[in-house]
C-alpha cells in the first residue's frame, strides 16, 4: 500500500502478488496443515508425522497460482481474471501494458480481505492505518471518482507521515509558511478565461500549504467575480485534485466570490499541469468600458 501511495507501480505489483501468495498459503494451512505443500511425498511425511523420527530438512510449498486454485476448489476464493493477471505480473510472465496499479488495487484488497476472514484474523488489526482506505475501496456506495479521491487523500496522509513524522515539532508549520503565499493572484489569461491562484487548507494534511487554482470566464466583472475551482496541489503532502467534482468530494468549496480589491498580484509563472490554459504572457489588463476582463 505504501508503494501504491508513492506511485511505485512495479513495487506495488510485486509486493501485492507476494502478499497474496503468502496469505493464500496461510489460509490453506488454517484448515489442513499440509495443504500448501508441494509433492505427494512431502504430503505423506506430514500425514505420518507421528511415526517419523527424522523429518525432511526442507519442505517445498506450492506457488501462488496453485494456492489460489486450491482455495477456489474449496470455495474460499472465487474466479477473478484481475487476480490471475496480478499473479502473472508478479511472476514476470505478463506485461503491464496499458494497465495501471489502480486497476489491480481493488482485486488485491478484496482477495486479502477474503483470506483474512477465512483465517479468522481481524481486518482492522491487519490493515492498521490503511483501514479507512480499504473500507472505501470495498464500499459499493462510492463511485470510481469518489474512491480515487479518498484513496489519494489517504495516500497523501501516508506521504506526510513518512516525510515529517519523525521531524521536530513545528517543522511542518515552518515549511508551510515558507512555501505558502496568501492572497488572490492572477497567473494566466487567454481567450477562454483567466486563471487565479490562492492559498487553501489541504484536505489531506490539514496545512495551509495547498495552492487552489480557480478560473473565471473573460466576461467576469472585476467588481463581482465568481471563480470556479479547477485544481488543487499541496506542496507538502503532494495531494492533487483536478476538476470541480474531485475538489467537492474532498470537502472543499468549488466556487469563490471575490472583488478586484482581493487581488494581490498578477504574475506569469505558467499554468498548472493539465490545465486547459496556455502559457502565453499575460500582457496588460484589457481596457473595457464595462470593467470586464
Amino acid at each position: 500500500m505504501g508503494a501504491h501511495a508513492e506511485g511505485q507501480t512495479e513495487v506495488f505489483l510485486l509486493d501485492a502478488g507476494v502478499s497474496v501468495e503468502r496469505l493464500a498459503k496461510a489460509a490453506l494451512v488454517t484448515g489442513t496443515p499440509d495443504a500448501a505443500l508441494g509433492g505427494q511425498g512431502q504430503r505423506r511425511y506430514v500425514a505420518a508425522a507421528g511415526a517419523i523420527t527424522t523429518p525432511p530438512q526442507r519442505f517445498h510449498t506450492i506457488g501462488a497460482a496453485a494456492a489460489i486454485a486450491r482455495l477456489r476448489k474449496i470455495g474460499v476464493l472465487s474466479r477473478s481474471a484481475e487476480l490471475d493477471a496480478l499473479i502473472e505480473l508478479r511472476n514476470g510472465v505478463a506485461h503491464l501494458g496499458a494497465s495501471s496499479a489502480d486497476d489491480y488495487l481493488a482485486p488485491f484488497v478484496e482477495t486479502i480481505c477474503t483470506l483474512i476472514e477465512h483465517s479468522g484474523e481481524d481486518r482492522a488489526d491487519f490493515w492498521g492505518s490503511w483501514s479507512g482506505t480499504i473500507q472505501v475501496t470495498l464500499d459499493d456506495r462510492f463511485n470510481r471518482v469518489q474512491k480515487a479521491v479518498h484513496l489519494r487523500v489517504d495516500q497523501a496522509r501516508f506521504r506526510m507521515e513518512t516525510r515529517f513524522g519523525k521531524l521536530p515539532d513545528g517543522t511542518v508549520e515552518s515549511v508551510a509558511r515558507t512555501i505558502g503565499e496568501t492572497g488572490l493572484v492572477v497567473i494566466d489569461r487567454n481567450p477562454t478565461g483567466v486563471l487565479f491562484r490562492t492559498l487553501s487548507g489541504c484536505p489531506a494534511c490539514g496545512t495551509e500549504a495547498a495552492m487552489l487554482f480557480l478560473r473565471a470566464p473573460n466576461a467576469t466583472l472585476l467588481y463581482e467575480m465568481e471563480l470556479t475551482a479547477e485544481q488543487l496541489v499541496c506542496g507538502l503532502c503532494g495531494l492533487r485534485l483536478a476538476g470541480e467534482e474531485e475538489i467537492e468530494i474532498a470537502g472543499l468549496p468549488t466556487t469563490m466570490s471575490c472583488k478586484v480589491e482581493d487581488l494581490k498580484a498578477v504574475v506569469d509563472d505558467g499554468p498548472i499541469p493539465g490545465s486547459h490554459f496556455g502559457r502565453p504572457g499575460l500582457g496588460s489588463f484589457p481596457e473595457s468600458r464595462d470593467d470586464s476582463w
Side-chain angles (χ1 to χ4, degrees), residues 231-244:
Q231 190 167 359
L232 178 136
V233 180
C234 181
L236 282 182
C237 67
L239 176 67
R240 287 178 174 268
L241 301 173
E244 293 181 66

Side-chain angles (χ1 to χ4, degrees), residues 9-10 12-18 20 64-65 68 72 78-105 107-108 111:
T9 300
E10 292 80 5
F12 165 73
L13 293 172
L14 175 61
D15 287 351
V18 173
V20 170
I68 291 172
R72 286 171 175 166
S78 58
R79 294 198 172 277
S80 167
E82 292 82 2
L83 176 58
D84 293 340
L86 174 61
I87 298 303
E88 289 181 354
L89 286 168
R90 169 253 189 274
N91 291 335
V93 297
H95 298 286
L96 187 58
S99 302
S100 67
D102 290 339
D103 296 324
Y104 295 97
L105 181 64
F108 164 67
T111 301

Side-chain angles (χ1 to χ4, degrees), residues 60-132:
H60 296 281
T61 58
I62 55 178
I68 291 172
R70 291 183 184 180
L71 287 167
R72 286 171 175 166
K73 189 174 183 179
I74 61 177
V76 176
L77 291 178
S78 58
R79 294 198 172 277
S80 167
E82 292 82 2
L83 176 58
D84 293 340
L86 174 61
I87 298 303
E88 289 181 354
L89 286 168
R90 169 253 189 274
N91 291 335
V93 297
H95 298 286
L96 187 58
S99 302
S100 67
D102 290 339
D103 296 324
Y104 295 97
L105 181 64
F108 164 67
V109 168
E110 291 168 358
T111 301
I112 293 295
C113 287
T114 299
L115 296 175
I116 291 170
E117 293 171 0
H118 177 74
S119 302
E121 301 294 329
D122 183 79
R123 181 188 296 182
D125 289 342
F126 182 90
W127 289 110
S129 61
W130 291 106
S131 294

Side-chain angles (χ1 to χ4, degrees), residues 129-233:
S129 61
W130 291 106
S131 294
T133 303
I134 300 307
Q135 186 59 40
V136 170
T137 302
L138 297 174
D139 200 328
D140 293 334
R141 293 175 298 176
F142 295 102
N143 61 33
R144 186 179 181 87
V145 177
Q146 290 172 322
K147 288 184 178 182
V149 170
H150 287 297
L151 176 62
R152 261 179 275 154
V153 169
D154 280 351
Q155 291 175 334
R157 289 171 181 159
F158 169 82
R159 288 193 297 269
M160 191 71 178
E161 179 61 27
T162 301
R163 296 170 183 174
F164 297 97
K166 297 182 180 179
L167 295 179
D169 294 341
T171 301
V172 172
E173 291 75 11
S174 177
V175 175
R177 286 193 297 270
T178 301
I179 66 176
E181 180 185 8
T182 59
L184 187 65
V185 178
V186 177
I187 65 171
D188 191 50
R189 174 177 177 264
N190 67 20
T192 64
V194 184
L195 186 64
F196 298 80
R197 183 189 70 211
T198 189
L199 194 65
S200 172
C202 176
C205 64
T207 62
E208 292 288 329
M211 286 294 117
L212 181 63
F213 298 88
L214 308 108
R215 59 180 168 82
N218 280 322
T220 296
L221 300 177
L222 281 170
Y223 55 82
E224 188 180 343
M225 295 186 291
E226 186 74 15
L227 310 182
T228 303
E230 181 166 284
Q231 190 167 359
L232 178 136
V233 180

